[in-house]
Amino acid sequence: MPAPAPTVSVVIPVKDDADVLRRCLAALAEQQVRPDEIVVVDNGSTDDSADVARAAGARVVAEPEAGIPAASARGFDEARCEIVARLDADSVPPPGWIAHISSTFADDPELTAITGPATFIDGPVRWRRPLALAYLGSYFATVTPALGHVPLFGSNFAARRSAWLEVRDRVHRHDPLMHDDMDLSVHLGPRRRIRYDHRLTMGVSMRALSGDRMLRLRRGMHSIVSHWPAEFPWYRWYRRAVRPRSRPRRPVVRPSR
């Protein structure tokens, strides 16, 4: 008998992104399997982002502390379902996104988190695929050796709420320089199972490539080295290597009477 599908919350941090949020929520409304709840975290918006969220049926919570780490953590705290899925306001999930998340966790009770790739949905058409491959390829290629496992990609991942409750007091939610997805990856791994699934795709905006490149690099380094020396890469690889392997329980045979 197949395992029952887990309930799924979707968390979306937002600040002054009403137009793209409307597009994201429309995509969530067209999912083959609808999420059980959508939590939009308003991180000090001055536009009508909160009204857009409410009009789409999302639950809006306010997080006055500026920064994505604080907003994301607040959303995870507020989520009520077994699985917490995370994307950004400018993300556009394909119709099967929630269904794939739900079935993956139902099929693998030992799985802690799942993440996947993305493609750009704007910008020059000819450059969307190669730039997305370069952007995410460099992220996974550089961060995986530092963590000892694949990192979560903040615009496209889902994790068990039970795992979040175990680490919520250790994440750096009050550090605006921290990449929240890298920070959560540090605390969820290396002994818990985080899987990269190429079928879990997401559409994202090319604006991720804009802004101060040196600041992005500094944030990335800060997100890793802030956990040292306790989380030196070789320590994490060792802990992963000796991670206890779950074994199926043998059925209990009771003597007949």
Side-chain angles (χ1 to χ4, degrees), residues 18-253:
D19 290 339
V20 292
L21 176 63
R22 186 179 289 108
R23 181 182 62 184
C24 176
L25 293 172
L28 287 172
E30 296 173 357
Q31 292 289 297
Q32 297 166 358
V33 174
R34 297 282 294 273
D36 295 276
E37 69 167 353
I38 301 173
V39 180
V40 172
V41 184
D42 184 6
N43 198 208
S45 297
T46 57
D47 65 0
D48 59 344
S49 293
D51 292 334
V52 168
R54 293 190 187 96
R59 178 160 58 96
V60 177
V61 296
E63 175 48 62
E65 182 176 349
I68 296 177
S72 295
R74 178 64 186 276
F76 298 149
D77 287 342
E78 293 284 341
R80 300 165 178 165
C81 296
E82 299 166 84
I83 307 300
V84 183
R86 163 81 159 83
L87 44 64
D88 291 319
D90 59 358
S91 299
V92 180
W97 190 62
I98 295 293
H100 187 71
I101 289 171
S102 180
S103 63
T104 299
F105 280 98
D107 293 342
D108 189 349
E110 299 298 324
L111 183 65
T112 295
I114 184 173
T115 193
T119 56
F120 288 127
I121 55 177
D122 53 19
V125 175
R126 61 184 290 184
W127 291 107
R128 291 179 184 179
R129 181 176 177 81
L131 285 177
L133 289 173
Y135 173 63
L136 284 174
S138 61
Y139 172 66
F140 286 112
T142 56
V143 179
T144 297
L147 296 184
H149 56 82
V150 66
L152 301 172
F153 170 47
S155 298
N156 183 21
F157 77 82
R160 294 191 186 275
R161 181 173 180 268
S162 57
W164 166 254
L165 294 177
E166 292 173 358
V167 304
R168 57 179 288 189
D169 294 330
R170 299 200 294 274
V171 299
H172 295 71
R173 66 175 71 203
H174 304 299
D175 184 352
L177 194 60
M178 189 73 64
H179 277 296
D180 63 299
D181 48 359
M182 292 173 64
D183 184 42
L184 181 57
S185 299
V186 169
H187 295 289
L188 286 182
R191 296 196 175 187
R192 298 180 183 88
R193 287 187 54 223
I194 300 174
R195 180 196 301 175
Y196 177 89
D197 188 338
H198 69 276
R199 297 170 298 173
L200 187 72
T201 60
M202 177 64 65
V204 298
S205 173
M206 199 174 283
R207 71 178 185 174
L209 300 179
S210 62
D212 189 335
R213 295 182 181 179
M214 291 305 297
L215 177 60
R216 288 203 302 270
L217 179 61
R218 187 162 68 93
R219 290 184 65 197
M221 291 298 297
H222 174 75
S223 300
I224 295 296
V225 303
S226 292
H227 300 90
W228 291 357
E231 301 297 340
F232 275 149
W234 44 90
Y235 293 163
R236 294 181 63 84
W237 281 98
Y238 173 77
R239 294 205 301 272
R240 181 184 181 186
V242 299
R243 179 178 62 196
R245 302 292 181 180
S246 60
R247 297 179 179 177
R249 294 182 178 179
R250 295 182 178 179
V252 177
V253 179

